[in-house]
Amino acid sequence: MSKQVLKIEHLSVGFGRGSDVETVTHDVSLTINQGETLALVGESGSGKSVTANAILKLLPKGAAHYLTGSIDFDGTDTLKCSERQLRGIRGGRIGMIFQEPMVSLNPLHKIGKQLVEVVSIHRGVRTRKAQELALQWLQKVGIRNPEQKLNAYPHELSGGERQRVMIAMALMNEPELLIADEPTTALDVSVQAQILDLLKQLQQELGMAMLFITHDLSIVRRIADRVCVMQSGRIVETAPCQRLFSAPEHPYTQKLIDSDPKGFPVTVDDDAEELLSVDKLKVWFPVTGGVFKRVIDHVKAVTDMHFTLHKGQSIGLVGESGSGKSTTGMAILKLVESQGSIAYQGSELQGLDRKQMLPYRNKMQVVFQDPFSALNPRMSVAQVIGEGLRVHHDYDEQTLDNMICDVMREVELDPETRHRYPNEFSGGQRQRIAIARALILKPEFVLLDEPTSSLDRTVQAQVLELLKSLQEKYHLTYLFISHDLNVVKSLCHYTIVMKDGEIVEQGDTQALFSAPSQAYTQQLVALSSFN
């Protein structure tokens, strides 16, 4: 029988000041044994991260209240520990990997300094030995050129590299328990698989327990021994991983498992007219050097991109980060300079100035990956949605307000909320606001740049169904950028696989995913759960 590392009993946590405290987790109980991985799953706002942060009392002081319960870590109730006792546990005996490494890593210090600091504080190791350990751990987590990366700042590393640094930082003190809070959410499917394999390997080496927090059930299948499902601050089901997926008992668990992207793209007319044609598209960014800043090289972001989009069709662009997907989209919208042909309904867009492009702007719209960054926080939802109409048309305020209300109903938002601000909405609602902003101009072509990657599975399924229904109703044409092949399979008729700025393979989506011919495509398909 494995030793029990963590036991949470009847934990309730609330937030607020004075007597006005709102309970956000209710009577949470769970256990984790040595060498075991427990997945804590549920949608955003279900209480997963609150529960995890409560273990080390990392919730905001003054605002967070530990109302009931206990958290037993190896015989010590962490809720009753002093700050000094907790410092001995945090980072040393319990490691933590956070969701966003750019927030967790200090942007002003080099990676080597941050790693040395962690091991020096918790193990009292001298600087030279700490530097050797830092290098060893960068090698262990699979970072290429580790000596060079020790002297790099966080912004000089890729997303996958930053996450590997966070893993090294959490594990170099060889903790008994690792808390991993959504550590792979923003990563490509291939990098995600590498990180998960790495965590499993290091877990076996160190014999540690792991609490893995995620909303992605495909990851749970891959990494978990047991699963706790949370909804509205309560654990509604706990079961061994295999049993949970084969015979889920709670309706909410059944809903989560059933929310994976499914279905097929909407039907397109065989004689649909050509809307957008791209040929020999090239986006190379110059690299300058020397005293006179002469061009000494180029970053070849996109080379020889070509495809044709027909009205009502969806084309998927897939590949890892840095493959050129988003750059291709920005070039088509003429938001970055490019060479080659971009023809819209037979009219060449290359060479058009800002004024000449204006008539095309309302026909070609974009929905970005992160709606919180894309929506102006100082503007109300009505102002955000109506902004494009004010630029392109001269409607009176009443007509404008009616149109805003109509499009909000179209994307299943309550028009009564139009005077609120973006921060008052959930992630899925903000993405609907972004879609409404694009839709109100009645576009023909919409660039969708990872519009569902940051959303929970159930919300993602709702947004996908919305995009399909709008496409069918208005014969919209989509260029859909994603690294999630399940989503692409559900929405796109045709798929282009990109790597290092070039096309690796392209073809009918169903045929491409069922029988990929190129090794890179085969790897992407193998890592996706539908295969």
Side-chain angles (χ1 to χ4, degrees):
M1 182 74 179
S2 297
K3 171 189 166 188
Q4 192 175 85
V5 175
L6 184 78
K7 184 178 184 180
I8 299 177
E9 285 191 297
H10 310 296
L11 178 69
S12 296
V13 178
F15 287 92
R17 302 276 179 183
S19 60
D20 186 22
V21 176
E22 182 185 355
T23 306
V24 293
T25 67
H26 307 264
D27 201 32
V28 171
S29 297
L30 59 86
T31 60
I32 310 175
N33 296 323
Q34 186 177 9
E36 180 186 41
T37 298
L38 177 73
L40 191 58
V41 306
E43 296 173 283
S44 296
S46 61
K48 307 186 301 293
S49 294
V50 170
T51 301
N53 283 306
I55 295 168
L56 290 171
K57 291 180 75 174
L58 292 174
L59 296 170
K61 287 178 185 171
H65 301 271
Y66 304 96
L67 303 172
T68 64
S70 62
I71 300 175
D72 184 314
F73 172 68
D74 195 24
T76 302
D77 187 349
T78 60
L79 293 182
K80 293 178 180 173
C81 283
S82 67
E83 196 61 32
R84 185 177 176 183
Q85 288 173 306
L86 282 170
R87 276 199 297 270
I89 297 173
R90 290 176 185 148
R93 300 184 66 195
I94 299 179
M96 192 153 187
I97 305 170
F98 296 97
Q99 180 172 357
E100 182 41 74
M102 270 306 273
V103 175
S104 306
L105 295 171
N106 191 324
L108 302 177
H109 294 304
K110 292 179 179 178
I111 295 302
K113 181 179 179 181
Q114 297 187 56
L115 289 169
V116 165
E117 186 180 37
V118 167
V119 79
S120 299
I121 289 171
H122 291 285
R123 290 168 66 175
V125 177
R126 291 186 177 180
T127 304
R128 177 166 294 216
K129 177 65 175 172
Q131 287 171 339
E132 289 173 9
L133 276 171
L135 183 61
Q136 285 172 19
W137 270 96
L138 285 190
Q139 291 168 333
K140 199 174 261 196
V141 298
I143 284 185
R144 286 175 289 187
N145 305 318
E147 295 89 350
Q148 180 189 338
K149 296 298 163 59
L150 279 174
N151 293 310
Y153 289 95
H155 72 270
E156 296 178 296
L157 306 182
S158 71
E161 286 174 330
R162 285 195 292 266
Q163 201 60 282
R164 287 169 190 266
V165 169
M166 287 297 298
I167 291 170
M169 201 175 281
L171 296 185
M172 64 193 302
N173 288 315
E174 301 186 2
E176 296 151 61
L177 171 66
L178 175 69
I179 302 170
D181 190 356
E182 301 269 14
T184 60
T185 298
L187 302 179
D188 303 315
V189 65
S190 53
V191 180
Q192 186 182 82
Q194 293 164 19
I195 296 290
L196 293 175
D197 290 343
L198 173 66
L199 283 172
K200 266 295 189 191
Q201 176 199 328
L202 294 172
Q203 181 186 27
Q204 287 167 2
E205 283 180 24
L206 300 173
M208 68 181 177
M210 181 157 60
L211 176 62
F212 197 98
I213 298 163
T214 185
H215 63 255
D216 190 335
L217 296 181
S218 61
I219 291 175
V220 175
R221 281 190 182 100
R222 189 184 181 100
I223 202 166
D225 299 307
R226 284 189 305 122
V227 186
C228 286
V229 182
M230 284 195 83
Q231 181 190 24
S232 305
R234 301 177 191 275
I235 290 181
V236 295
E237 186 167 358
T238 301
C241 187
Q242 195 172 356
R243 196 179 82 201
L244 186 101
F245 283 101
S246 60
E249 293 177 2
H250 196 276
Y252 179 69
T253 311
Q254 294 165 2
K255 178 187 170 189
L256 283 180
I257 292 171
D258 196 42
S259 62
D260 279 342
K262 53 185 177 288
F264 296 96
V266 302
T267 307
V268 180
D269 295 336
D270 294 333
D271 58 349
E273 63 177 294
E274 183 181 299
L275 186 76
L276 179 72
S277 176
V278 174
D279 190 39
K280 296 178 182 174
L281 185 69
K282 184 171 91 170
V283 183
W284 286 14
F285 298 109
V287 177
T288 57
V291 178
F292 300 105
K293 299 293 181 187
R294 291 195 178 97
V295 176
I296 56 173
D297 202 355
H298 287 85
V299 176
K300 299 175 182 178
V302 178
T303 302
D304 194 27
M305 171 57 68
H306 53 274
F307 62 86
T308 301
L309 254 172
H310 291 85
K311 198 166 178 60
Q313 185 188 23
S314 298
I315 286 184
L317 279 185
V318 303
E320 299 172 340
S321 292
S323 60
K325 308 184 300 292
S326 293
T327 305
T328 298
M330 295 301 103
I332 289 167
L333 294 175
K334 286 186 60 65
L335 298 176
V336 296
E337 287 189 22
S338 62
Q339 295 175 320
S341 172
I342 305 168
Y344 190 86
Q345 290 183 320
S347 301
E348 182 59 55
L349 302 185
Q350 294 283 35
L352 298 186
D353 60 25
R354 185 174 175 276
K355 189 176 180 182
Q356 290 169 322
M357 271 299 296
L358 206 56
Y360 294 96
R361 288 285 177 219
N362 62 340
K363 296 178 183 179
M364 305 170 76
Q365 287 293 301
V366 61
V367 177
F368 293 103
Q369 177 175 356
D370 181 6
F372 197 68
S373 300
L375 303 177
N376 190 328
R378 297 183 177 183
M379 294 170 69
S380 69
V381 166
Q383 290 171 319
V384 167
I385 294 173
E387 189 178 17
L389 280 179
R390 290 185 173 92
V391 171
H392 292 281
H393 302 283
D394 188 23
Y395 294 119
D396 62 73
E397 284 303 314
Q398 186 57 55
T399 304
L400 198 64
D401 190 57
N402 290 341
M403 292 176 76
I404 290 166
C405 290
D406 288 344
V407 79
M408 286 185 74
R409 290 188 197 97
E410 197 83 67
V411 299
E412 296 166 16
L413 286 172
D414 182 2
E416 294 298 315
T417 63
R418 67 190 182 281
H419 301 301
R420 294 184 190 171
Y421 289 83
N423 67 309
E424 298 178 68
F425 293 83
S426 69
Q429 287 172 323
R430 285 196 290 264
Q431 201 58 285
R432 288 173 187 269
I433 293 165
I435 293 168
R437 178 175 63 179
L439 195 66
I440 199 166
L441 288 164
K442 297 186 168 46
E444 299 166 329
F445 168 79
V446 182
L447 170 66
L448 299 162
D449 191 355
E450 301 267 18
T452 62
S453 66
S454 61
L455 304 177
D456 299 319
R457 279 296 194 192
T458 50
V459 180
Q460 184 186 76
Q462 293 164 13
V463 171
L464 275 176
E465 286 307 310
L466 173 66
L467 289 171
K468 283 187 191 180
S469 67
L470 293 172
Q471 182 175 33
E472 200 162 26
K473 186 173 182 180
Y474 297 110
H475 303 290
L476 294 172
T477 306
Y478 294 148
L479 180 63
F480 188 84
I481 295 169
S482 183
H483 62 253
D484 189 333
L485 270 61
N486 292 285
V487 173
V488 172
K489 189 181 182 188
S490 170
L491 186 74
C492 299
H493 306 88
Y494 192 87
T495 298
I496 299 170
V497 182
M498 292 186 73
K499 189 175 192 294
D500 299 329
E502 297 186 358
I503 295 174
V504 173
E505 189 171 357
Q506 59 181 318
D508 174 81
T509 298
Q510 307 301 321
L512 187 74
F513 289 170
S514 59
S517 63
Q518 299 300 311
Y520 178 67
T521 314
Q522 290 166 3
Q523 179 195 359
L524 290 181
V525 170
L527 292 170
S528 296
S529 60
F530 63 74
N531 196 42

